[in-house]
mmCIF file of all heavy atoms in Angstrom:
data_model
loop_
_atom_site.group_PDB
_atom_site.id
_atom_site.type_symbol
_atom_site.label_atom_id
_atom_site.label_comp_id
_atom_site.label_asym_id
_atom_site.label_seq_id
_atom_site.Cartn_x
_atom_site.Cartn_y
_atom_site.Cartn_z
ATOM 1 N N GLN A 296 15.095 -8.380 -2.874
ATOM 2 C CA GLN A 296 15.808 -8.068 -4.123
ATOM 3 C C GLN A 296 16.706 -6.851 -3.949
ATOM 4 O O GLN A 296 17.849 -6.822 -4.417
ATOM 5 C CB GLN A 296 14.803 -7.785 -5.238
ATOM 6 C CG GLN A 296 14.410 -9.017 -6.014
ATOM 7 C CD GLN A 296 13.603 -8.628 -7.238
ATOM 8 O OE1 GLN A 296 12.481 -8.152 -7.096
ATOM 9 N NE2 GLN A 296 14.159 -8.830 -8.411
ATOM 10 N N LEU A 297 16.179 -5.832 -3.266
ATOM 11 C CA LEU A 297 16.959 -4.615 -3.025
ATOM 12 C C LEU A 297 18.195 -4.930 -2.191
ATOM 13 O O LEU A 297 19.281 -4.403 -2.419
ATOM 14 C CB LEU A 297 16.102 -3.563 -2.315
ATOM 15 C CG LEU A 297 14.915 -3.015 -3.114
ATOM 16 C CD1 LEU A 297 14.027 -2.147 -2.232
ATOM 17 C CD2 LEU A 297 15.395 -2.215 -4.326
ATOM 18 N N THR A 298 18.016 -5.831 -1.212
ATOM 19 C CA THR A 298 19.134 -6.188 -0.340
ATOM 20 C C THR A 298 20.207 -6.948 -1.117
ATOM 21 O O THR A 298 21.402 -6.712 -0.935
ATOM 22 C CB THR A 298 18.603 -7.049 0.832
ATOM 23 O OG1 THR A 298 17.451 -6.411 1.382
ATOM 24 C CG2 THR A 298 19.615 -7.190 1.918
ATOM 25 N N VAL A 299 19.763 -7.851 -1.989
ATOM 26 C CA VAL A 299 20.720 -8.570 -2.853
ATOM 27 C C VAL A 299 21.438 -7.554 -3.759
ATOM 28 O O VAL A 299 22.668 -7.601 -3.919
ATOM 29 C CB VAL A 299 20.006 -9.658 -3.694
ATOM 30 C CG1 VAL A 299 20.919 -10.197 -4.791
ATOM 31 C CG2 VAL A 299 19.538 -10.803 -2.794
ATOM 32 N N GLY A 300 20.678 -6.617 -4.322
ATOM 33 C CA GLY A 300 21.277 -5.587 -5.180
ATOM 34 C C GLY A 300 22.317 -4.772 -4.437
ATOM 35 O O GLY A 300 23.396 -4.471 -4.976
ATOM 36 N N ALA A 301 22.019 -4.441 -3.170
ATOM 37 C CA ALA A 301 22.950 -3.618 -2.378
ATOM 38 C C ALA A 301 24.266 -4.349 -2.137
ATOM 39 O O ALA A 301 25.341 -3.748 -2.211
ATOM 40 C CB ALA A 301 22.301 -3.226 -1.052
ATOM 41 N N ILE A 302 24.198 -5.663 -1.863
ATOM 42 C CA ILE A 302 25.456 -6.394 -1.604
ATOM 43 C C ILE A 302 26.235 -6.575 -2.912
ATOM 44 O O ILE A 302 27.466 -6.481 -2.931
ATOM 45 C CB ILE A 302 25.216 -7.746 -0.879
ATOM 46 C CG1 ILE A 302 26.544 -8.356 -0.386
ATOM 47 C CG2 ILE A 302 24.521 -8.769 -1.734
ATOM 48 C CD1 ILE A 302 27.274 -7.568 0.646
ATOM 49 N N LEU A 303 25.525 -6.781 -4.025
ATOM 50 C CA LEU A 303 26.217 -6.894 -5.316
ATOM 51 C C LEU A 303 26.948 -5.589 -5.633
ATOM 52 O O LEU A 303 28.050 -5.593 -6.174
ATOM 53 C CB LEU A 303 25.215 -7.236 -6.427
ATOM 54 C CG LEU A 303 24.612 -8.651 -6.361
ATOM 55 C CD1 LEU A 303 23.430 -8.782 -7.320
ATOM 56 C CD2 LEU A 303 25.668 -9.712 -6.682
ATOM 57 N N ARG A 304 26.322 -4.469 -5.287
ATOM 58 C CA ARG A 304 26.974 -3.165 -5.496
ATOM 59 C C ARG A 304 28.263 -3.085 -4.694
ATOM 60 O O ARG A 304 29.304 -2.668 -5.192
ATOM 61 C CB ARG A 304 26.023 -2.031 -5.092
ATOM 62 C CG ARG A 304 26.653 -0.651 -5.126
ATOM 63 C CD ARG A 304 25.672 0.449 -4.761
ATOM 64 N NE ARG A 304 25.275 0.429 -3.373
ATOM 65 C CZ ARG A 304 26.012 0.915 -2.366
ATOM 66 N NH1 ARG A 304 27.217 1.417 -2.595
ATOM 67 N NH2 ARG A 304 25.571 0.878 -1.129
ATOM 68 N N ARG A 305 28.204 -3.518 -3.434
ATOM 69 C CA ARG A 305 29.411 -3.481 -2.587
ATOM 70 C C ARG A 305 30.513 -4.360 -3.149
ATOM 71 O O ARG A 305 31.693 -4.108 -2.945
ATOM 72 C CB ARG A 305 29.084 -3.963 -1.174
ATOM 73 C CG ARG A 305 28.410 -2.902 -0.327
ATOM 74 C CD ARG A 305 28.333 -3.383 1.106
ATOM 75 N NE ARG A 305 27.681 -2.398 1.940
ATOM 76 C CZ ARG A 305 28.218 -1.887 3.031
ATOM 77 N NH1 ARG A 305 29.418 -2.258 3.418
ATOM 78 N NH2 ARG A 305 27.564 -1.009 3.746
ATOM 79 N N GLU A 306 30.116 -5.438 -3.831
ATOM 80 C CA GLU A 306 31.112 -6.357 -4.400
ATOM 81 C C GLU A 306 31.632 -5.858 -5.749
ATOM 82 O O GLU A 306 32.457 -6.515 -6.375
ATOM 83 C CB GLU A 306 30.489 -7.748 -4.578
ATOM 84 C CG GLU A 306 30.174 -8.450 -3.271
ATOM 85 C CD GLU A 306 29.537 -9.813 -3.502
ATOM 86 O OE1 GLU A 306 28.373 -9.874 -3.926
ATOM 87 O OE2 GLU A 306 30.218 -10.815 -3.270
ATOM 88 N N GLY A 307 31.106 -4.707 -6.209
ATOM 89 C CA GLY A 307 31.565 -4.161 -7.486
ATOM 90 C C GLY A 307 30.917 -4.824 -8.695
ATOM 91 O O GLY A 307 31.377 -4.654 -9.822
ATOM 92 N N LYS A 308 29.826 -5.602 -8.478
ATOM 93 C CA LYS A 308 29.130 -6.270 -9.597
ATOM 94 C C LYS A 308 27.981 -5.363 -10.067
ATOM 95 O O LYS A 308 26.806 -5.626 -9.807
ATOM 96 C CB LYS A 308 28.600 -7.635 -9.145
ATOM 97 C CG LYS A 308 29.696 -8.583 -8.657
ATOM 98 C CD LYS A 308 29.113 -9.874 -8.071
ATOM 99 C CE LYS A 308 30.213 -10.814 -7.565
ATOM 100 N NZ LYS A 308 29.646 -11.997 -6.872
ATOM 101 N N GLU A 309 28.360 -4.272 -10.742
ATOM 102 C CA GLU A 309 27.398 -3.195 -11.015
ATOM 103 C C GLU A 309 26.196 -3.624 -11.853
ATOM 104 O O GLU A 309 25.064 -3.268 -11.546
ATOM 105 C CB GLU A 309 28.076 -2.002 -11.703
ATOM 106 C CG GLU A 309 28.661 -0.981 -10.742
ATOM 107 C CD GLU A 309 30.127 -1.248 -10.461
ATOM 108 O OE1 GLU A 309 30.653 -2.222 -11.027
ATOM 109 O OE2 GLU A 309 30.723 -0.491 -9.668
ATOM 110 N N ALA A 310 26.453 -4.378 -12.923
ATOM 111 C CA ALA A 310 25.347 -4.714 -13.841
ATOM 112 C C ALA A 310 24.313 -5.598 -13.141
ATOM 113 O O ALA A 310 23.102 -5.358 -13.237
ATOM 114 C CB ALA A 310 25.898 -5.408 -15.082
ATOM 115 N N ASP A 311 24.798 -6.617 -12.417
ATOM 116 C CA ASP A 311 23.883 -7.509 -11.678
ATOM 117 C C ASP A 311 23.140 -6.718 -10.603
ATOM 118 O O ASP A 311 21.946 -6.927 -10.375
ATOM 119 C CB ASP A 311 24.655 -8.658 -11.009
ATOM 120 C CG ASP A 311 25.271 -9.603 -12.028
ATOM 121 O OD1 ASP A 311 24.843 -9.547 -13.198
ATOM 122 O OD2 ASP A 311 26.165 -10.392 -11.664
ATOM 123 N N ALA A 312 23.872 -5.826 -9.924
ATOM 124 C CA ALA A 312 23.262 -5.019 -8.855
ATOM 125 C C ALA A 312 22.130 -4.178 -9.431
ATOM 126 O O ALA A 312 21.025 -4.134 -8.880
ATOM 127 C CB ALA A 312 24.313 -4.124 -8.205
ATOM 128 N N GLU A 313 22.400 -3.532 -10.560
ATOM 129 C CA GLU A 313 21.391 -2.635 -11.137
ATOM 130 C C GLU A 313 20.140 -3.419 -11.551
ATOM 131 O O GLU A 313 19.010 -2.964 -11.348
ATOM 132 C CB GLU A 313 21.970 -1.868 -12.335
ATOM 133 C CG GLU A 313 20.988 -0.846 -12.877
ATOM 134 C CD GLU A 313 21.634 0.202 -13.787
ATOM 135 O OE1 GLU A 313 22.876 0.155 -13.999
ATOM 136 O OE2 GLU A 313 20.894 1.067 -14.279
ATOM 137 N N ARG A 314 20.347 -4.612 -12.099
ATOM 138 C CA ARG A 314 19.193 -5.431 -12.503
ATOM 139 C C ARG A 314 18.296 -5.746 -11.298
ATOM 140 O O ARG A 314 17.082 -5.572 -11.347
ATOM 141 C CB ARG A 314 19.685 -6.727 -13.157
ATOM 142 C CG ARG A 314 18.599 -7.470 -13.931
ATOM 143 C CD ARG A 314 19.116 -8.707 -14.625
ATOM 144 N NE ARG A 314 19.773 -9.607 -13.682
ATOM 145 C CZ ARG A 314 21.077 -9.864 -13.680
ATOM 146 N NH1 ARG A 314 21.876 -9.280 -14.553
ATOM 147 N NH2 ARG A 314 21.602 -10.699 -12.793
ATOM 148 N N GLU A 315 18.905 -6.199 -10.180
ATOM 149 C CA GLU A 315 18.119 -6.539 -8.982
ATOM 150 C C GLU A 315 17.434 -5.298 -8.401
ATOM 151 O O GLU A 315 16.268 -5.347 -7.995
ATOM 152 C CB GLU A 315 19.012 -7.181 -7.899
ATOM 153 C CG GLU A 315 19.564 -8.550 -8.253
ATOM 154 C CD GLU A 315 18.517 -9.655 -8.280
ATOM 155 O OE1 GLU A 315 17.335 -9.412 -7.945
ATOM 156 O OE2 GLU A 315 18.882 -10.791 -8.649
ATOM 157 N N LEU A 316 18.171 -4.189 -8.339
ATOM 158 C CA LEU A 316 17.618 -2.972 -7.724
ATOM 159 C C LEU A 316 16.439 -2.433 -8.539
ATOM 160 O O LEU A 316 15.400 -2.075 -7.981
ATOM 161 C CB LEU A 316 18.704 -1.895 -7.592
ATOM 162 C CG LEU A 316 19.822 -2.193 -6.584
ATOM 163 C CD1 LEU A 316 20.920 -1.135 -6.673
ATOM 164 C CD2 LEU A 316 19.291 -2.271 -5.156
ATOM 165 N N ARG A 317 16.600 -2.407 -9.868
ATOM 166 C CA ARG A 317 15.511 -1.855 -10.696
ATOM 167 C C ARG A 317 14.297 -2.781 -10.674
ATOM 168 O O ARG A 317 13.150 -2.325 -10.691
ATOM 169 C CB ARG A 317 16.000 -1.584 -12.125
ATOM 170 C CG ARG A 317 16.994 -0.418 -12.161
ATOM 171 C CD ARG A 317 17.139 0.178 -13.553
ATOM 172 N NE ARG A 317 18.137 1.244 -13.574
ATOM 173 C CZ ARG A 317 17.903 2.519 -13.251
ATOM 174 N NH1 ARG A 317 16.690 2.888 -12.850
ATOM 175 N NH2 ARG A 317 18.865 3.425 -13.312
ATOM 176 N N SER A 318 14.546 -4.077 -10.613
ATOM 177 C CA SER A 318 13.436 -5.030 -10.551
ATOM 178 C C SER A 318 12.692 -4.886 -9.216
ATOM 179 O O SER A 318 11.453 -4.882 -9.179
ATOM 180 C CB SER A 318 13.989 -6.451 -10.730
ATOM 181 O OG SER A 318 13.011 -7.385 -10.418
ATOM 182 N N GLY A 319 13.440 -4.741 -8.115
ATOM 183 C CA GLY A 319 12.824 -4.536 -6.794
ATOM 184 C C GLY A 319 12.007 -3.248 -6.755
ATOM 185 O O GLY A 319 10.879 -3.227 -6.242
ATOM 186 N N LEU A 320 12.571 -2.183 -7.338
ATOM 187 C CA LEU A 320 11.848 -0.897 -7.384
ATOM 188 C C LEU A 320 10.559 -1.027 -8.195
ATOM 189 O O LEU A 320 9.498 -0.557 -7.783
ATOM 190 C CB LEU A 320 12.741 0.201 -7.979
ATOM 191 C CG LEU A 320 12.057 1.558 -8.225
ATOM 192 C CD1 LEU A 320 11.539 2.172 -6.926
ATOM 193 C CD2 LEU A 320 13.002 2.542 -8.915
ATOM 194 N N ALA A 321 10.649 -1.714 -9.343
ATOM 195 C CA ALA A 321 9.461 -1.883 -10.207
ATOM 196 C C ALA A 321 8.348 -2.617 -9.435
ATOM 197 O O ALA A 321 7.173 -2.239 -9.512
ATOM 198 C CB ALA A 321 9.837 -2.642 -11.467
ATOM 199 N N THR A 322 8.723 -3.654 -8.686
ATOM 200 C CA THR A 322 7.732 -4.392 -7.884
ATOM 201 C C THR A 322 7.081 -3.466 -6.863
ATOM 202 O O THR A 322 5.858 -3.454 -6.715
ATOM 203 C CB THR A 322 8.406 -5.577 -7.153
ATOM 204 O OG1 THR A 322 9.034 -6.411 -8.118
ATOM 205 C CG2 THR A 322 7.390 -6.393 -6.368
ATOM 206 N N LEU A 323 7.899 -2.691 -6.160
ATOM 207 C CA LEU A 323 7.346 -1.778 -5.148
ATOM 208 C C LEU A 323 6.443 -0.724 -5.776
ATOM 209 O O LEU A 323 5.409 -0.371 -5.224
ATOM 210 C CB LEU A 323 8.478 -1.105 -4.363
ATOM 211 C CG LEU A 323 9.211 -1.992 -3.361
ATOM 212 C CD1 LEU A 323 10.404 -1.235 -2.771
ATOM 213 C CD2 LEU A 323 8.287 -2.460 -2.240
ATOM 214 N N GLU A 324 6.833 -0.233 -6.946
ATOM 215 C CA GLU A 324 6.016 0.804 -7.596
ATOM 216 C C GLU A 324 4.664 0.225 -8.038
ATOM 217 O O GLU A 324 3.672 0.946 -8.094
ATOM 218 C CB GLU A 324 6.777 1.432 -8.776
ATOM 219 C CG GLU A 324 7.884 2.352 -8.274
ATOM 220 C CD GLU A 324 8.645 3.089 -9.367
ATOM 221 O OE1 GLU A 324 8.925 2.472 -10.415
ATOM 222 O OE2 GLU A 324 8.969 4.269 -9.166
ATOM 223 N N ARG A 325 4.642 -1.083 -8.316
ATOM 224 C CA ARG A 325 3.366 -1.734 -8.667
ATOM 225 C C ARG A 325 2.519 -2.030 -7.425
ATOM 226 O O ARG A 325 1.303 -1.971 -7.479
ATOM 227 C CB ARG A 325 3.633 -3.076 -9.373
ATOM 228 C CG ARG A 325 3.921 -2.992 -10.848
ATOM 229 C CD ARG A 325 3.720 -4.352 -11.530
ATOM 230 N NE ARG A 325 4.350 -5.454 -10.824
ATOM 231 C CZ ARG A 325 5.638 -5.783 -10.924
ATOM 232 N NH1 ARG A 325 6.439 -5.075 -11.688
ATOM 233 N NH2 ARG A 325 6.125 -6.823 -10.265
ATOM 234 N N THR A 326 3.177 -2.403 -6.321
ATOM 235 C CA THR A 326 2.433 -2.993 -5.196
ATOM 236 C C THR A 326 2.300 -2.065 -3.993
ATOM 237 O O THR A 326 1.349 -2.188 -3.236
ATOM 238 C CB THR A 326 3.118 -4.296 -4.732
ATOM 239 O OG1 THR A 326 4.492 -4.010 -4.437
ATOM 240 C CG2 THR A 326 3.058 -5.368 -5.796
ATOM 241 N N ALA A 327 3.271 -1.166 -3.784
ATOM 242 C CA ALA A 327 3.202 -0.279 -2.613
ATOM 243 C C ALA A 327 2.582 1.049 -3.043
ATOM 244 O O ALA A 327 2.335 1.280 -4.231
ATOM 245 C CB ALA A 327 4.601 -0.067 -2.033
ATOM 246 N N GLU A 328 2.344 1.927 -2.081
ATOM 247 C CA GLU A 328 1.907 3.288 -2.405
ATOM 248 C C GLU A 328 3.017 3.965 -3.214
ATOM 249 O O GLU A 328 4.200 3.797 -2.901
ATOM 250 C CB GLU A 328 1.703 4.084 -1.112
ATOM 251 C CG GLU A 328 0.500 3.642 -0.296
ATOM 252 C CD GLU A 328 -0.814 3.954 -0.987
ATOM 253 O OE1 GLU A 328 -0.985 5.115 -1.423
ATOM 254 O OE2 GLU A 328 -1.638 3.026 -1.126
ATOM 255 N N PRO A 329 2.667 4.769 -4.229
ATOM 256 C CA PRO A 329 3.715 5.336 -5.103
ATOM 257 C C PRO A 329 4.747 6.180 -4.350
ATOM 258 O O PRO A 329 5.917 6.189 -4.698
ATOM 259 C CB PRO A 329 2.933 6.184 -6.105
ATOM 260 C CG PRO A 329 1.526 6.249 -5.593
ATOM 261 C CD PRO A 329 1.316 5.090 -4.687
ATOM 262 N N ASN A 330 4.305 6.876 -3.297
ATOM 263 C CA ASN A 330 5.273 7.698 -2.560
ATOM 264 C C ASN A 330 5.537 7.132 -1.164
ATOM 265 O O ASN A 330 5.754 7.867 -0.211
ATOM 266 C CB ASN A 330 4.781 9.145 -2.460
ATOM 267 C CG ASN A 330 4.993 9.869 -3.781
ATOM 268 O OD1 ASN A 330 6.026 9.694 -4.427
ATOM 269 N ND2 ASN A 330 4.019 10.635 -4.202
ATOM 270 N N SER A 331 5.530 5.801 -1.058
ATOM 271 C CA SER A 331 5.776 5.197 0.253
ATOM 272 C C SER A 331 7.268 5.277 0.572
ATOM 273 O O SER A 331 8.118 5.392 -0.323
ATOM 274 C CB SER A 331 5.340 3.737 0.252
ATOM 275 O OG SER A 331 6.245 2.970 -0.506
ATOM 276 N N ALA A 332 7.562 5.181 1.867
ATOM 277 C CA ALA A 332 8.960 5.209 2.315
ATOM 278 C C ALA A 332 9.768 4.098 1.647
ATOM 279 O O ALA A 332 10.939 4.285 1.305
ATOM 280 C CB ALA A 332 9.001 5.058 3.836
ATOM 281 N N GLN A 333 9.126 2.936 1.408
ATOM 282 C CA GLN A 333 9.845 1.812 0.782
ATOM 283 C C GLN A 333 10.329 2.178 -0.622
ATOM 284 O O GLN A 333 11.447 1.822 -1.007
ATOM 285 C CB GLN A 333 8.914 0.594 0.679
ATOM 286 C CG GLN A 333 8.672 -0.107 2.006
ATOM 287 C CD GLN A 333 7.692 -1.255 1.826
ATOM 288 O OE1 GLN A 333 6.602 -1.081 1.271
ATOM 289 N NE2 GLN A 333 8.066 -2.426 2.287
ATOM 290 N N VAL A 334 9.482 2.879 -1.365
ATOM 291 C CA VAL A 334 9.872 3.301 -2.725
ATOM 292 C C VAL A 334 11.054 4.275 -2.630
ATOM 293 O O VAL A 334 12.019 4.178 -3.395
ATOM 294 C CB VAL A 334 8.671 3.936 -3.471
ATOM 295 C CG1 VAL A 334 9.123 4.600 -4.769
ATOM 296 C CG2 VAL A 334 7.611 2.871 -3.761
ATOM 297 N N GLY A 335 10.995 5.188 -1.656
ATOM 298 C CA GLY A 335 12.109 6.124 -1.446
ATOM 299 C C GLY A 335 13.412 5.399 -1.153
ATOM 300 O O GLY A 335 14.473 5.752 -1.692
ATOM 301 N N ASP A 336 13.327 4.343 -0.321
ATOM 302 C CA ASP A 336 14.540 3.568 0.020
ATOM 303 C C ASP A 336 15.127 2.903 -1.228
ATOM 304 O O ASP A 336 16.346 2.881 -1.418
ATOM 305 C CB ASP A 336 14.205 2.476 1.059
ATOM 306 C CG ASP A 336 13.755 3.063 2.391
ATOM 307 O OD1 ASP A 336 13.903 4.295 2.581
ATOM 308 O OD2 ASP A 336 13.251 2.300 3.232
ATOM 309 N N ALA A 337 14.242 2.352 -2.067
ATOM 310 C CA ALA A 337 14.704 1.671 -3.283
ATOM 311 C C ALA A 337 15.383 2.663 -4.233
ATOM 312 O O ALA A 337 16.426 2.371 -4.830
ATOM 313 C CB ALA A 337 13.518 1.000 -3.978
ATOM 314 N N ILE A 338 14.791 3.856 -4.350
ATOM 315 C CA ILE A 338 15.369 4.889 -5.233
ATOM 316 C C ILE A 338 16.763 5.284 -4.737
ATOM 317 O O ILE A 338 17.698 5.469 -5.526
ATOM 318 C CB ILE A 338 14.424 6.110 -5.297
ATOM 319 C CG1 ILE A 338 13.166 5.734 -6.098
ATOM 320 C CG2 ILE A 338 15.103 7.321 -5.924
ATOM 321 C CD1 ILE A 338 12.034 6.737 -5.992
ATOM 322 N N LEU A 339 16.912 5.387 -3.410
ATOM 323 C CA LEU A 339 18.234 5.722 -2.844
ATOM 324 C C LEU A 339 19.264 4.656 -3.187
ATOM 325 O O LEU A 339 20.414 4.977 -3.518
ATOM 326 C CB LEU A 339 18.143 5.844 -1.315
ATOM 327 C CG LEU A 339 17.938 7.240 -0.749
ATOM 328 C CD1 LEU A 339 17.903 7.188 0.774
ATOM 329 C CD2 LEU A 339 19.026 8.216 -1.205
ATOM 330 N N GLN A 340 18.870 3.380 -3.114
ATOM 331 C CA GLN A 340 19.825 2.301 -3.439
ATOM 332 C C GLN A 340 20.325 2.441 -4.876
ATOM 333 O O GLN A 340 21.506 2.222 -5.162
ATOM 334 C CB GLN A 340 19.167 0.922 -3.242
ATOM 335 C CG GLN A 340 18.950 0.531 -1.798
ATOM 336 C CD GLN A 340 20.257 0.285 -1.049
ATOM 337 O OE1 GLN A 340 21.333 0.114 -1.653
ATOM 338 N NE2 GLN A 340 20.191 0.284 0.263
ATOM 339 N N ILE A 341 19.423 2.811 -5.796
ATOM 340 C CA ILE A 341 19.836 2.985 -7.207
ATOM 341 C C ILE A 341 20.732 4.229 -7.337
ATOM 342 O O ILE A 341 21.717 4.220 -8.078
ATOM 343 C CB ILE A 341 18.605 3.059 -8.130
ATOM 344 C CG1 ILE A 341 17.859 1.716 -8.098
ATOM 345 C CG2 ILE A 341 19.018 3.401 -9.565
ATOM 346 C CD1 ILE A 341 16.511 1.721 -8.763
ATOM 347 N N ALA A 342 20.412 5.268 -6.558
ATOM 348 C CA ALA A 342 21.262 6.477 -6.565
ATOM 349 C C ALA A 342 22.679 6.122 -6.122
ATOM 350 O O ALA A 342 23.660 6.555 -6.742
ATOM 351 C CB ALA A 342 20.659 7.547 -5.649
#
């Protein structure tokens, strides 16, 4: 999901990108360790 969000961002499709990125981050925050490197990567994509 994060990868799809990143390419949508590059294409200038901001709203779709943000939806995918936030959804991917929410999944990671539920399933991964809260301060895992994966969560950090997802936060950077939204930044």
Side-chain angles (χ1 to χ4, degrees):
Q296 270 190 292
L297 295 171
T298 312
V299 168
I302 191 64
L303 291 168
R304 174 178 69 80
R305 281 189 181 235
E306 292 179 289
K308 300 174 181 174
E309 272 94 0
D311 294 343
E313 185 164 359
R314 195 177 55 248
E315 293 290 356
L316 292 173
R317 291 199 183 275
S318 168
L320 174 61
T322 303
L323 287 174
E324 286 183 320
R325 277 198 313 278
T326 54
E328 290 292 310
N330 283 319
S331 72
Q333 286 177 308
V334 170
D336 296 349
I338 289 168
L339 265 181
Q340 288 292 344
I341 295 170

